Amino acid sequence: MKKFIVACLDHFESYLCQFLLVFFVVVVFMQIVLRFVDRSLPWTEEIARFAFIWFILFGACYATRLCALNRVTLQFSKAPKRVTNAFLFVSDMIWLAFSLIMAWQGYLAVMDLREFPYATPALDWDLGMVYLVFPLSFLLMAVRIIQVNFIKFVLKQEIADPDQEAMKESQGALLDGGEKQGGVA
């Protein structure tokens, strides 16, 4: 049970992003179909926009957990591993500070919207609740930055780059496919 809970927490953003993407696509598809039959719902575009923004921000958190965000690391290709790790750690600490500042500023924006309420036009939702995504996502991103650095530097575990893993897998599939075709001909 404990492993299940840890796995759910570790992949929280993945599950949330999957739900948001399906929700976004269904709402937009529904709007397209309804427009085709000369009907439309005024709230679908607004809720699709909110779902898309939430999807982007929580997707960035998930990419942080996977160490899959784009980084320029070519300058470290000839440097010793210790130097590379030191510079990557410093850049992660700058990124952590940025995430915490964004979380704080998002919190202040939400508090302003709670003090001076504003409702969304079509759904009549409290915009402060919609904007809650900013402090939540950036705070979660800060947690993921700390988690990844803890795994890399304290637990001394290497986190595989998903892009590199996918490239190796596709290269292996190409090589295996070429050998099979070569044997047939």
Side-chain angles (χ1 to χ4, degrees), residues 98-159:
F98 172 77
S99 295
L100 291 172
I101 290 168
M102 289 298 292
W104 178 251
Q105 291 300 318
Y107 170 76
L108 293 177
V110 168
M111 288 298 104
D112 283 346
L113 285 169
R114 300 296 296 156
E115 185 177 346
F116 304 106
Y118 181 81
T120 61
L123 293 166
D124 197 35
W125 286 358
D126 179 11
L127 200 59
M129 298 310 287
V130 175
Y131 278 17
L132 213 80
V133 70
F134 292 101
L136 290 176
S137 64
F138 280 102
L139 191 60
L140 184 57
M141 193 177 299
V143 168
R144 295 304 189 186
I145 293 168
I146 293 168
Q147 179 185 17
V148 164
N149 280 286
F150 181 81
I151 290 169
K152 284 194 308 193
F153 298 114
V154 175
L155 299 179
K156 305 284 188 205
Q157 295 176 0
E158 192 66 33
I159 299 175

Side-chain angles (χ1 to χ4, degrees), residues 20 34 37 45 49 56 63 74 95 105 110 121 162 166 168 172 176-177:
L20 288 170
L34 288 173
V37 295
E45 293 174 22
R49 185 176 337 118
I56 290 169
L74 180 65
W95 183 18
Q105 291 300 318
V110 168
K168 288 177 185 175
D176 290 345

